[in-house]
Amino acid sequence: MKHYADEWIAEWCQENGWTDLTVAGCDSYWAFPPGAVMPEPIPTKAMKLIKAQKGLSGEEKWWAIASVAGTIFAAIVSLVMKCPMPMVGAFAFCAVTVGQLEVED
């Protein structure tokens, strides 16, 4: 799951003088700092600040909405069928989604 929009990182690089942004993997961003000859990863402090300012990325929002919608659907199905298994499935899906929403450093 992408925790950062590429536009957010590109905007930060432009504001701070970093050049030639490269996305290496899902949430790994590298660029040339001002005056440097080798690319470096975008600093963790900067990434945390960007996340705090911008909030959830588009993909994170989609997964959160899917979790809520799936839970509502599962609740209705559980009531109609008088069976708790759809809610168990919804719980498992939400647990995995919440785990994926956690940003790793």
Side-chain angles (χ1 to χ4, degrees):
M1 176 180 305
K2 286 189 71 131
H3 297 288
Y4 305 94
D6 295 342
E7 300 83 36
W8 299 349
I9 307 300
E11 180 182 309
W12 181 88
C13 285
Q14 195 170 35
E15 290 173 359
N16 293 285
W18 290 53
T19 58
D20 297 330
L21 176 66
T22 304
V23 180
C26 189
D27 279 332
S28 179
Y29 298 92
W30 289 67
F32 288 90
V37 294
M38 286 185 60
E40 294 181 13
I42 304 297
T44 305
K45 278 182 149 180
M47 299 292 276
K48 287 181 180 181
L49 180 64
I50 292 168
K51 186 70 176 164
Q53 291 174 344
K54 303 290 186 174
L56 297 176
S57 69
E59 191 172 336
E60 289 174 321
K61 288 177 186 176
W62 188 89
W63 279 102
I65 290 169
S67 294
V68 171
T71 301
I72 292 169
F73 177 74
I76 293 168
V77 171
S78 287
L79 282 172
V80 170
M81 293 177 53
K82 296 180 181 168
C83 174
M85 290 312 292
M87 286 301 292
V88 172
F91 175 79
F93 181 70
C94 288
V96 170
T97 301
V98 168
Q100 290 296 317
L101 286 173
E102 193 69 31
V103 178
E104 297 176 12
D105 292 329

